[in-house]
Amino acid sequence: MKKFVIFGNPVAHSKSPQMQNAGFENLKYDAIYKKHHLDDGNIIKKTFLKNNYEGANITVPHKEHAFKNADEVRGLAKKIQAVNTYINENGKVIAYNTDAPGFLKAIESFGKVKTVLLLGAGGTAKAIALALQESNIDVTVLNRSEGKLEFFKNEGITSYSWDNFESKEFDLIVNSTSAGLKDDYLPCDKELLESVFKTAKFAFDCVYGKITPFLALAKENELEIKDGEDMLLYQGFLAFELFTKAKADNKVLEGMRKGLRGE
Ligand code: NDP
């Protein structure tokens, strides 16, 4: 039986095992997916190989370590400089980032999106910003502090901190900050949000499983809203296809959604 894991710290809360195992069951694929708590991200590759894992997902705070440790990084992950998926290819560790394409799949349901305001500048924002840029969607980053903006500026992405923001019209507003995850904060000033909501059509929050204050305010302003469940599902589904080397269908996807929801 092939062994897969998710590395994280903490990892106890992760829903990836229930989602991935549901996928394996659907495909009758002989594999098991477990949680692996990892304190030291520097030994992630060694730990992966020593345990004979066939593949892994990587979550907070190890995505950058995983990027640096990999034998080979493929696709947009090279620019993002963070990976969430490892594959064992004949003893070599191949790394991918499926958060970026997972996000793009998740916003497909909105239809045509031309301009995006992305709130936050952390690891998730990097993946989202580069995914949008690669799809020729105009993206502007707005973050609480200046410190993390350098990465975006180096990629030619217009970026502001709260102090110097210059607004324009956006189709979609994305919250990729952790505001609203465990608290009731908005990701930025309420007036600023209300002003961009006036002309926007859609709002997306990376936080999943709840209506955050950000989504609640967007709904009040009559925007179409979506939480982060589909993003989590699609990043998992794309990793699953890499794990199994199979092109999985909609039945597998919906099985994984049920697994994710614990249904
Ligand atoms: P990081 O810690 O890398 O970045 C956090 C960002 O949020 C920073 O830009 C930080 O700003 C900002 N921030 C934190 N608190 C506040 C606040 N109160 N007000 C305004 N800005 C704030 O986190 P990640 O990028 O890894 O994750 C971000 C969110 O995305 C989390 O909620 C996470 O759960 C979610 N997520 C969802 C996924 C999915 O599949 N649905 C996948 C991955 C993440 P500053 O620079 O000023 O500190």
Side-chain angles (χ1 to χ4, degrees):
M1 183 183 270
K2 291 183 173 161
K3 292 193 290 180
F4 296 86
V5 283
I6 177 156
F7 287 113
N9 178 16
V11 76
H13 67 285
S14 172
K15 293 192 168 156
S16 288
Q18 61 200 62
M19 172 169 63
Q20 296 291 346
N21 284 320
F24 292 146
E25 253 172 55
N26 251 279
L27 211 64
K28 308 256 176 296
Y29 191 83
D30 191 22
I32 180 97
Y33 187 112
K34 291 184 173 172
K35 295 171 190 172
H36 188 130
H37 180 98
L38 184 71
D39 284 318
D40 180 6
N42 289 307
I43 59 163
I44 191 163
K45 176 182 154 188
K46 214 167 92 190
T47 310
F48 177 78
L49 291 173
K50 198 177 80 192
N51 284 282
N52 292 315
Y53 293 142
E54 205 65 38
N57 285 124
I58 300 109
T59 188
V60 178
H62 298 318
K63 291 184 187 182
E64 273 100 358
H65 283 123
F67 167 81
K68 285 186 198 136
N69 272 268
D71 290 315
E72 189 186 328
V73 178
R74 290 191 186 150
L76 197 59
K78 281 186 269 198
K79 269 175 125 185
I80 300 168
Q81 296 174 22
V83 299
N84 73 328
T85 303
Y86 265 7
I87 304 291
N88 187 336
E89 259 186 36
N90 308 315
K92 285 230 174 306
V93 178
I94 313 298
Y96 299 84
N97 186 308
T98 68
D99 287 328
F103 169 80
L104 290 178
K105 281 291 290 173
I107 63 161
E108 270 178 16
S109 61
F110 288 142
K112 187 86 186 140
V113 169
K114 286 192 193 135
T115 47
V116 176
L117 176 64
L118 175 58
L119 306 171
T124 309
K126 287 180 184 172
I128 291 177
L130 292 183
L132 289 168
Q133 189 189 46
E134 227 206 13
S135 309
N136 294 317
I137 297 173
D138 178 82
V139 54
T140 300
V141 171
L142 174 60
N143 194 44
R144 177 173 59 183
S145 55
E146 183 72 33
K148 295 196 181 94
L149 296 182
E150 179 117 353
F151 172 90
F152 301 90
K153 287 182 178 156
N154 287 339
E155 294 297 336
I157 294 169
T158 309
S159 336
Y160 301 105
S161 65
W162 287 0
D163 298 335
N164 62 3
F165 180 55
E166 289 171 31
S167 193
K168 63 174 187 184
E169 284 191 15
F170 301 99
D171 297 327
L172 165 65
I173 319 295
V174 177
N175 177 27
S176 82
T177 77
S178 33
L181 179 65
K182 290 180 192 144
D183 54 47
D184 282 331
Y185 294 131
L186 285 167
C188 63
D189 182 61
K190 189 176 178 196
E191 276 168 31
L192 189 156
L193 273 182
E194 281 177 331
S195 92
V196 290
F197 283 163
K198 268 197 193 109
T199 47
K201 299 184 207 86
F202 317 110
F204 181 92
D205 203 318
C206 295
V207 173
Y208 62 88
K210 68 190 263 197
I211 299 292
T212 56
F214 167 78
L215 286 186
L217 187 66
K219 198 166 171 27
E220 244 176 75
N221 283 270
E222 293 170 0
L223 273 72
E224 184 180 335
I225 63 167
K226 189 164 192 180
D227 78 356
E229 185 190 81
D230 271 3
M231 181 177 171
L232 184 68
L233 178 68
Y234 286 124
Q235 66 75 31
F237 183 70
L238 294 167
F240 178 86
E241 290 193 322
L242 292 167
F243 293 157
T244 58
K245 297 171 184 62
K247 192 103 194 79
D249 59 14
N250 216 38
K251 185 175 155 277
V252 176
L253 179 73
E254 289 314 316
M256 290 177 77
R257 188 193 297 278
K258 280 191 174 166
L260 178 62
R261 289 179 176 171
E263 288 170 356

